[in-house]
Amino acid sequence: MKKIISVLLLSVTIFTLAFNSPALAANAANGAALFKANCAQCHVGGKNLVNAAKTLKKAALEKYDMYSAEAIIAQVTKGKGAMPAFGKKLKAGQIEDVAAYVLEQADKDWKK
């Protein structure tokens, strides 16, 4: 009986750790440097030099269902339309940092 309880407790612990691990916090400061080096050519100040309607301003991100880290991460990783994919150039953590920076700036209307 003790063995069964021990196995059950171990299973519950493993399950809890596997599905409830805390997410790593993205680093918006690192994201700022990555954005400047990789994104600012087309998105300086939150603008979009290729498609003026699809800026990185909060209203546009919300309008196009892009106002979430998940959506931005997917866009940066895979690219879309004229935007190239950065999934092979940047590591996943770096892309998360860029997403954090974009959301932070969108919330500030891209004003420092």
Side-chain angles (χ1 to χ4, degrees), residues 2 26 39 53 59 68 75 86 101-102 106:
K2 285 183 181 181
C39 313
S68 71
Q75 179 90 9
F86 286 88
Y101 173 74
V102 168

Side-chain angles (χ1 to χ4, degrees), residues 34-100:
L34 290 163
F35 185 91
K36 183 177 179 183
N38 296 282
C39 313
Q41 299 86 330
C42 295
H43 295 290
V44 66
K47 296 176 185 171
N48 185 329
L49 301 179
V50 177
N51 183 346
K54 294 189 175 182
T55 69
L56 300 179
K57 302 281 185 163
K58 186 175 181 177
L61 292 174
E62 289 174 334
K63 178 179 179 179
Y64 296 106
D65 295 320
M66 294 297 296
Y67 186 70
S68 71
E70 294 80 13
I72 295 168
I73 289 167
Q75 179 90 9
V76 173
T77 302
K78 298 174 187 172
K80 186 176 180 183
M83 181 171 163
F86 286 88
K88 292 184 180 178
K89 182 176 181 181
L90 300 175
K91 295 177 182 173
Q94 292 175 310
I95 294 173
E96 290 172 12
D97 292 349
V98 169

Side-chain angles (χ1 to χ4, degrees), residues 3-26:
K3 196 171 190 173
I4 293 172
I5 291 174
S6 295
V7 170
L8 182 61
L9 287 174
L10 180 61
S11 298
V12 169
T13 302
I14 291 171
F15 182 81
T16 301
L17 290 174
F19 292 102
N20 290 323
S21 60
L24 296 175

